[in-house]
RNA sequence: GCGGACGUGGCGAAACCGGUAGACGCACGAGACUUAAAAUCUUGCGGCUGAAAGGCUGUGCGGGUUCGAGUCCCGCCGUCCGCACCA
């Protein structure tokens, strides 16, 4: 550097620079992606937001991560698709309509406008020309088309089913939307009702959805395990038990079991309260009817299940044991048997199932152990109040004795499958899934109308494709609870498309999870008016290479989307069955909570914190009253521990917010939002600007530190490259800090040449660019580089700079570090050993002893054993 | 109950295949500049010990394997998440 003092550069002004660069990007349309781009494709997608009103910090974190990937891949030469849209149907719009008398559509579009502006102020490299909103008829029209196609393919059915009814939201909920017996949105206790519903037959794909999970290598293990458990595959045997002295329809009970090996331990049969046989017996026995109603009332609530006693009612029926027709088993109606799973009936084996044992002990049915653990003596093996569900040797089991449980399973299955009763085998091997079909009917207004017309004569008739979309009526009233579509007679009453007779529209709308099950496919050609997708575009862009979103969608959304691509494949709308090749689930943004003396929550903006001597104390900014600092929790309005992204962008700029969201915590973990952290990020923004400005001002310099600086720059470049690929943004941040420290040192020493300073500053700028794009543009132009850094190619790593000529090896004595010895990189093991043993510090530590063994790990370490 | 993840300074964390534990940042302490503050800079920062060089010790606890363990194995303890009467 010159000896004349360089004037301190001006501070970087984010407020001025950010909108300026956003305009430059928009003016040149550099983030719009063409489908005919011939470079290799890369599709990066963040879960699209519900337009609730304003973006929150969770969005900032999610979209900052996606944007880093998009910008990096673009620089790496990929044709990047990075679109954004709105998951715009849903209950909050209707709630707003009821509470504030606003139209749901207007409310939703106003929110979209606000949030689009907020996202744009973040400087995200999104292709806004592909923006979609699921509440737009141009979107849901195609969803209706696919519904009809699925229906024609047999992937949609209509049936009466017991459904979860949310009495607060006045709607049906899918099983997935009932949490601990309560509605996922309203928190109301869910009731059971019989309704006619539309279902997507997701169970048709149960096996494939299960098997294909193993191929999703770039999904978190956790999510794959959760989906596996949810699909709940089990292998077992369906066994027919003939009822003694009965005939006709109710002459047998079918039972599903995964443990046919324990059949000789059977003590009873139990059927669900909703089982048809229970109903037929109850017809003549009012006490049983009373019992069945009690069972229904207990419901499925968590607390009820935990505390509910195993209760049963002896029907008086007796079932013949399939392996010994002279053996009769009592048939109970029991409150713990679920009609929805298997056949709604089980055989009870008290010795080897805890539930059955509890039941048996209560009703005095006894138990017979039939599986003896390998290490125990069969003669003394008894079960009292703990069932044994492990493996072992068969005992007390006739022809099964001495087999393993596994052998016994197959022996029983083989025998019963071969035995024919009334023209059918007594038993059949069967794979059973826990997964149920997806009920999609919702009794709501603000959703995609189901394109069906109900005709007295013709039944449910599909709306002709040429009549799509079935548009929602604009003017609706929310004065009375329930679905306004039912009260809108002008909308509802239409002629039957088949016979022309007066008919009525289906007034249910689709679950909003349907909307989000295919939006990623629509993004590939959102301009199409006559078809949901363009096969060439879908097959080109899918699967999404990197999908990023919250873990809360691990089951619902991700499973529905996986089903949907399969259904689209079956109906020709997609050639791809898995929608998301790579999935990343990011952690939450959390914040400290604050309470005043009265115990009321106080928002962070009203807090001042002191930390003298390391002890943190909080005070109210206005009253100076002491505030107690509480636990760190997910940002939520109720606890007032929210920080508004708009405020942060206004006072620090988007780059600061983005940088902070990406630093410190690993992206899959929660990140704690702190004022100190934001200020640290803001300081770094200034530091980068200062260093780049200083580097741009270097004119002379003999270049003594050039080699060191170039090494640091290329090391950082290589490291950031590797870590961005693996989404380890916190490590990228650390490497960038390290490079800026090196550049700072070199500039301060004043011995760096202009070309080396410019190179390092350029690399620093490009490393920072995916994370802080506005600052990077400003730096890029300060360095006098051509065009936009957003369009610049990623710099090439000079691998030669990554290898050191000399390496400093730690030397251990019996595993404890005693010295450092510097050796040439190319030195062989013998040379290293000689150099180490000649080292002064090593000789001192050896105290004259000679090592018994010398372990040289090339390039790593040397260990001397004495 | 079943399944999964995790446990490292005051804090967020890093440590790739078993090879220098604590990179990088935050906070904090001392100092420089300043009338003062901010900003910036210098410096210290796991614990014990020492003037320093250094020594001892240290990754939830107890064992083990190894020349060498935060990392692998066995057994505990704790925290978090998911599922849950699924036959």
């Amino acid at each position: 550097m010159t000896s004349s003092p360089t004037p301190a550069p001006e501070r970087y002004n984010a407020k001025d620079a950010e909108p300026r660069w956003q305009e430059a990007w928009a003016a040149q349309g550099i983030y719009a992606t063409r489908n005919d781009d011939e470079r290799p494709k890369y599709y990066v997608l963040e879960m699209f937001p519900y337009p609730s009103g304003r973006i929150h910090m969770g969005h900032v974190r999610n979209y900052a991560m996606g944007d880093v990937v998009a910008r990096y891949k673009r620089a790496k030469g990929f044709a990047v698709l990075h679109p954004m849209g709105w998951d715009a149907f849903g209950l909050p719009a209707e709630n707003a309509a009821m509470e504030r008398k606003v139209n749901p559509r207007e409310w939703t579009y106003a929110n979209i406008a606000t949030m689009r502006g907020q996202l744009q102020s973040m400087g995200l490299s999104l292709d806004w020309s592909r923006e979609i909103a699921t509440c737009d008829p141009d979107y849901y029209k195609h969803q209706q088309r696919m519904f009809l196609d699925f229906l024609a393919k047999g992937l949609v059915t209509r049936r009466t089913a017991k459904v979860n009814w949310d009495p607060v939201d006045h709607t049906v909920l899918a099983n997935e939307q009932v949490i601990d017996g309560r509605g996922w949105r309203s928190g109301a206790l869910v009731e059971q009702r019989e309704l006619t519903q539309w279902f997507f037959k997701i169970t048709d794909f149960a096996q494939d959805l299960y098997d294909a999970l193993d191929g999703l290598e770039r999904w978190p293990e956790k999510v794959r395990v959760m989906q596996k458990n949810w699909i709940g595959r089990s292998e077992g045997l369906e066994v027919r038990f003939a009822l003694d002295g009965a005939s006709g329809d109710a002459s047998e009970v079918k039972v599903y079991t995964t443990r046919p090996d324990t059949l000789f331990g059977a003590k009873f049969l139990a059927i669900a309260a909703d089982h048809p046989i229970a109903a037929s017996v109850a017809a003549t026995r009012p006490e049983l009817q009373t019992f069945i109603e009690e069972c229904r009332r207990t419901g499925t609530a968590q607390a009820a299940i935990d505390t509910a006693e195993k209760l049963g009612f002896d029907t008086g029926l007796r079932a013949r044991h399939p392996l010994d027709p002279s053996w009769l088993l009592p048939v109970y109606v029991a409150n713990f048997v679920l009609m929805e799973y298997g056949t709604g009936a089980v055989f009870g084996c008290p010795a080897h199932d805890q539930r059955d044992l509890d039941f048996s002990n209560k009703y005095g049915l006894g138990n017979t152990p039939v599986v003896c653990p390998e290490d125990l003596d069969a003669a003394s093996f008894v079960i009292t109040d703990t069932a044994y569900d492990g493996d072992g040797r068969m005992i007390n089991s006739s022809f099964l004795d001495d087999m393993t449980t596994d052998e016994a399973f197959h022996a029983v299955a083989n025998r019963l499958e071969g035995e024919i009763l009334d023209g059918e085998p007594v038993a059949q091997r069967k794979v059973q899934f826990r997964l149920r079909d997806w009920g999609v009917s919702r009794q709501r207004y603000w959703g995609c109308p189901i394109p069906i017309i109900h005709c007295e004569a013709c039944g449910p008739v599909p709306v002709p494709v040429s009549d799509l979309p079935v548009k929602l009526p604009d003017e609706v009233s929310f004065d009375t609870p329930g679905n306004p579509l039912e009260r809108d007679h002008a909308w509802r009453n239409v002629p039957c498309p088949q016979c022309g007779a007066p008919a009525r529209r289906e007034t249910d709308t689709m679950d909003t999870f349907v909307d989000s099950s295919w939006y990623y496919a629509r993004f590939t050609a959102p301009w199409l008016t006559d078809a949901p997708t363009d096969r060439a575009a879908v097959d080109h862009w899918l699967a999404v290479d990197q999908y990023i979103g919250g873990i809360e969608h691990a089951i619902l959304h991700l499973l529905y989307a996986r089903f949907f691509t399969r259904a689209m494949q079956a109906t020709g709308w997609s050639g791809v069955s898995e929608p998301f090749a790579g999935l990343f689930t990011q952690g939450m943004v959390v914040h400290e909570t604050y309470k005043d003396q009265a115990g009321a929550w106080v928002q962070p903006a009203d807090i001042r914190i002191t930390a003298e001597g390391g002890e943190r104390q909080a005070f109210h900014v206005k009253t100076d009253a002491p505030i107690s600092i509480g636990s760190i929790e997910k940002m939520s309005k109720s606890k007032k521990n929210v920080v508004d992204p708009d405020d942060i962008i206004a006072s620090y700029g988007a780059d600061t917010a983005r940088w902070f969201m990406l630093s410190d915590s690993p992206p899959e973990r929660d990140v704690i939002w702190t004022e100190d952290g934001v200020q640290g990020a803001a300081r770094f923004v200034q530091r980068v600007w200062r260093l780049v400005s200083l580097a741009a001002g270097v004119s002379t310099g003999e270049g003594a530190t050039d080699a060191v600086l170039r090494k640091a720059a290329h090391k950082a470049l290589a490291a950031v490259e590797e870590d961005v690929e693996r989404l380890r943004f916190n490590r990228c941040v650390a490497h960038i800090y390290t490079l800026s420290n090196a550049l700072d040192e070199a500039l301060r020493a004043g011995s760096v040449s202009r070309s080396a300073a410019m190179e390092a500053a350029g690399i620093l700028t490009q490393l920072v660019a995916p994370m802080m794009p506005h600052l990077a543009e400003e730096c890029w132009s300060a360095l006098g580089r051509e065009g936009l850094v957003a369009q610049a190619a990623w710099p090439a790593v000079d691998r030669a700079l990554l290898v050191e000529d000399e390496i400093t090896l730690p030397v251990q004595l019996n595993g404890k570090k005693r010295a450092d010895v510097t050796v040439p990189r190319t030195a062989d093991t013998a040379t290293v050993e000689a150099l180490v043993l000649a080292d002064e510090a090593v000789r001192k530590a050896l105290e004259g002893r000679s090592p018994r063994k010398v372990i040289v790990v090339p390039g790593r370490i040397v260990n001397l054993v004495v």
Side-chain angles (χ1 to χ4, degrees):
Chain A
M1 221 188 338
T2 52
S3 53
S4 64
T6 316
E10 274 177 46
R11 287 177 65 77
Y12 169 72
N13 184 347
K15 224 176 268 185
D16 163 73
E18 292 187 351
R20 191 153 37 78
W21 291 113
Q22 286 159 18
E23 274 164 38
W25 298 326
Q28 300 187 40
I30 60 170
Y31 304 130
T33 307
R34 297 165 54 106
N35 280 359
D36 60 3
D37 194 320
E38 287 186 349
R39 294 173 297 170
K41 70 99 183 179
Y42 194 90
Y43 188 176
V44 55
L45 183 68
E46 301 97 61
M47 291 179 184
F48 69 161
Y50 177 78
S52 55
R54 306 182 64 74
I55 64 165
H56 53 69
M57 278 302 171
H59 292 127
V60 174
R61 190 174 194 206
N62 191 177
Y63 302 140
M65 288 179 189
D67 203 42
V68 171
V69 175
R71 288 176 181 276
Y72 170 77
K73 287 289 178 183
R74 221 176 267 123
K76 274 288 198 178
F78 288 85
V80 171
L81 177 58
H82 187 213
M84 183 52 74
W86 309 96
D87 189 12
F89 273 136
L91 268 178
E94 285 184 60
N95 292 338
M98 282 181 265
E99 286 157 21
R100 280 175 272 159
K101 306 276 178 216
V102 291
N103 181 285
R105 171 175 292 100
E106 285 162 20
W107 181 85
T108 302
Y109 278 101
N111 288 346
I112 287 175
T114 306
M115 292 172 72
R116 186 193 300 116
Q118 290 184 295
L119 292 185
Q120 284 169 344
S121 75
M122 280 182 66
L124 303 170
S125 64
L126 292 164
D127 181 355
W128 286 104
S129 72
R130 293 179 188 244
E131 180 182 2
I132 53 179
T134 58
C135 65
D136 190 330
D138 287 341
Y139 181 82
Y140 69 68
K141 168 185 170 179
H142 306 295
Q143 192 164 305
Q144 293 173 336
R145 168 79 180 274
M146 285 194 288
F147 180 93
L148 296 176
D149 288 351
F150 292 2
L151 182 64
K153 264 275 173 193
L155 293 170
V156 171
T157 61
R158 185 167 185 259
R159 61 171 177 258
T160 307
K162 218 167 68 169
V163 295
N164 306 302
W165 179 261
D166 186 318
V168 169
D169 283 345
H170 292 282
T171 191
V172 164
L173 300 174
N175 289 318
E176 291 87 334
Q177 292 164 344
V178 179
I179 295 148
D180 296 343
R182 291 173 182 274
W184 71 302
R185 279 204 71 256
S186 69
L189 274 176
V190 166
E191 297 166 7
Q192 302 293 309
R193 286 201 186 175
E194 288 272 340
L195 284 180
T196 307
Q197 302 283 307
W198 292 98
F199 286 88
F200 282 163
K201 290 176 74 182
I202 190 169
T203 54
D204 281 9
F205 296 101
Q207 185 69 59
D208 187 43
L209 286 168
Y210 187 90
D211 292 340
L213 285 169
D214 289 330
L216 297 174
E217 282 158 20
R218 294 200 297 118
W219 276 42
E221 178 65 20
K222 181 189 170 83
V223 176
R224 289 192 288 176
V225 168
M226 281 165 73
Q227 290 217 353
K228 278 205 169 183
N229 291 340
W230 190 262
I231 297 168
R233 185 182 190 278
S234 71
E235 287 176 15
L237 199 65
E238 194 173 281
V239 188
R240 296 160 63 203
F241 282 73
L243 291 177
D244 187 39
S247 61
D249 283 347
S251 66
E252 64 177 30
V253 179
K254 266 189 190 168
V255 155
Y256 176 73
T257 178
T258 55
R259 294 295 303 274
D261 49 304
T262 64
L263 261 175
F264 284 101
K267 291 294 171 190
F268 62 93
L269 254 57
I271 62 176
D274 298 319
H275 197 283
I277 289 173
S280 76
V281 174
T284 56
R285 297 188 57 186
E287 325 90 86
L288 178 55
Q289 190 56 43
T290 314
F291 178 76
I292 289 172
E293 277 155 25
E294 259 171 52
C295 290
R296 283 190 188 140
R297 231 170 298 142
T298 319
T300 55
Q302 180 70 55
I305 290 166
D306 282 348
T307 55
E309 220 180 335
K310 305 277 174 281
L311 293 176
F313 187 99
D314 188 350
T315 59
L317 299 170
R318 294 295 176 265
R320 291 190 185 282
H321 196 286
L323 294 167
D324 178 1
S326 67
W327 182 357
L328 294 180
L329 296 162
V331 180
Y332 281 80
V333 174
N335 64 348
F336 64 88
V337 181
L338 306 171
M339 193 59 217
E340 301 81 35
Y341 186 79
T343 58
V346 299
F347 87 85
C349 178
H352 304 291
D353 182 287
Q354 191 58 47
R355 237 180 4 215
D356 296 345
L357 185 62
D358 293 345
F359 188 82
S360 170
N361 285 347
K362 182 176 169 76
Y363 292 102
L365 303 173
N367 76 73
T368 306
V370 292
V371 179
C372 182
E374 295 285 0
D375 54 342
L376 289 185
D377 175 32
S380 59
F381 182 54
V382 288
I383 297 285
T384 51
D385 53 9
T386 306
Y388 174 72
D389 61 3
D391 289 338
R393 289 273 155 194
M394 302 310 298
I395 54 171
N396 304 323
S397 292
S398 166
F399 70 99
L400 303 175
D401 282 348
D402 277 340
M403 291 185 188
T404 63
T405 46
D406 201 43
E407 289 161 356
F409 182 112
H410 293 290
V412 169
N414 290 342
R415 174 178 292 209
L416 294 181
E417 276 183 337
E419 216 163 286
I420 305 296
L421 182 68
D422 299 334
E424 304 247 343
V426 172
Q428 277 181 296
R429 283 184 172 86
K430 213 180 159 187
V431 173
Q432 188 73 45
F433 295 96
R434 207 188 73 118
L435 184 71
R436 323 265 168 80
D437 280 332
W438 175 17
V440 295
S441 298
R442 297 291 180 275
Q443 291 67 45
R444 307 301 318 181
Y445 162 74
W446 195 232
C448 171
I450 293 173
I452 294 289
I453 293 167
H454 296 281
C455 171
E456 199 84 30
C458 311
V461 179
V463 173
V465 169
S466 56
D467 290 355
L468 297 180
V470 176
K471 273 194 182 178
L472 287 171
D474 280 330
E475 294 306 320
V476 282
S477 150
F478 289 92
D479 295 342
T480 37
N483 184 355
L485 294 177
E486 281 187 37
R487 300 188 300 264
D488 189 335
H489 297 281
W491 184 86
R492 209 185 75 172
N493 298 328
V494 289
C496 168
Q498 244 167 52
C499 70
R504 54 175 188 82
R505 284 191 191 285
E506 171 67 66
T507 54
D508 286 352
T509 54
M510 291 184 215
D511 182 1
T512 57
F513 277 102
V514 180
D515 312 336
S516 54
S517 290
W518 70 286
Y519 77 107
Y520 50 88
R522 182 68 186 170
F523 275 138
T524 64
W527 45 80
L528 289 181
T529 54
D530 56 351
T533 61
D534 171 63
R535 268 301 290 275
V538 165
D539 295 357
H540 171 67
W541 286 110
L542 289 187
V544 173
D545 295 277
Q546 188 62 63
Y547 196 36
I548 309 177
I551 185 75
E552 66 273 20
H553 294 110
I555 295 174
L556 299 181
H557 164 58
L558 292 169
L559 191 60
Y560 293 150
R562 295 182 63 224
F563 156 74
F564 224 87
T565 37
R566 283 165 171 78
M568 286 171 76
Q569 195 178 31
T571 49
W573 295 116
S574 164
V576 179
S577 60
E578 280 296 337
F580 313 119
L583 172 70
F584 188 83
T585 53
Q586 99 267 4
M588 295 184 298
V589 183
V590 295
H591 197 289
E592 269 182 339
T593 51
Y594 308 102
K595 272 184 179 179
D596 64 18
Q597 300 306 90
W601 301 105
V602 183
Q603 57 181 13
D606 290 338
I607 301 289
R608 180 172 54 84
I609 293 197
T610 61
E612 258 140 78
E615 190 163 332
R616 300 178 70 243
Q617 285 183 299
F619 301 92
H620 199 284
V621 281
K622 288 185 195 120
T623 61
D624 255 346
I627 297 287
S628 64
I629 300 176
S631 59
I632 295 169
E633 294 183 51
K634 180 181 182 173
M635 286 190 180
S636 77
K637 279 176 194 153
S638 62
K639 286 175 182 157
K640 288 196 178 174
N641 60 338
V642 278
V643 175
D644 190 322
D646 266 3
D647 295 346
I648 299 301
I649 291 173
S651 42
Y652 296 97
D655 286 339
T656 296
R658 293 169 59 130
W659 182 256
F660 177 53
M661 284 285 85
L662 296 165
S663 41
D664 285 351
S665 286
E668 69 278 7
R669 258 183 253 178
D670 291 352
V671 66
I672 306 169
W673 184 277
T674 61
E675 189 59 27
D676 284 334
V678 184
Q679 281 172 10
R683 268 200 303 275
F684 185 65
V685 169
Q686 295 301 335
R687 184 154 181 244
V688 170
W689 174 242
R690 195 171 59 244
L691 291 173
V692 169
S693 304
L694 287 172
V698 172
S699 51
T700 59
E702 72 279 23
T705 44
D706 282 10
V708 177
L709 182 57
R710 294 199 70 219
K711 250 177 202 178
H714 284 265
K715 270 187 181 166
L717 178 56
V720 168
E721 214 172 290
E722 193 189 323
D723 282 328
V724 175
E725 298 273 3
R726 291 155 84 168
L727 309 180
R728 301 196 290 199
F729 307 117
N730 57 319
R731 292 182 22 144
C732 295
V733 165
H735 301 312
I736 291 170
Y737 272 115
T738 306
L739 172 57
S740 58
N741 288 344
L743 178 57
D744 203 346
E745 225 168 284
L747 291 172
R748 211 177 288 282
S751 54
V752 71
S753 72
R754 176 167 174 83
S755 69
M758 291 293 279
E759 185 195 4
I763 287 173
L764 177 62
T765 299
Q766 289 200 265
L767 294 186
V768 147
M771 305 188 185
M772 301 197 282
H774 314 88
L775 170 68
E777 293 292 1
E778 201 77 359
C779 292
W780 197 246
S781 79
L783 289 169
R785 305 282 290 257
E786 287 288 307
L788 295 164
V789 70
Q791 288 184 293
W794 193 253
V797 179
D798 186 346
R799 299 271 155 201
L801 290 171
L802 303 185
V803 274
E804 304 285 348
D805 297 337
E806 292 193 319
I807 343 172
T808 300
L809 293 177
V811 178
Q812 295 183 331
L813 200 66
N814 292 334
K816 287 194 178 182
K817 195 195 158 196
R818 283 292 180 264
D820 285 310
V821 179
T822 301
V823 300
R825 182 176 55 84
T826 51
D828 60 18
T829 305
T831 316
V832 170
E833 191 174 329
L835 284 168
V836 163
L837 292 175
D839 183 81
E840 189 54 38
V842 172
R843 284 168 63 181
K844 202 177 144 197
L846 277 170
E847 294 166 329
R849 296 167 294 181
S850 58
R852 216 155 27 88
K853 198 170 165 189
V854 180
I855 294 146
V856 179
V857 185
R860 281 276 183 201
I861 203 165
V862 177
N863 193 13
L864 308 175
V865 187
V866 290

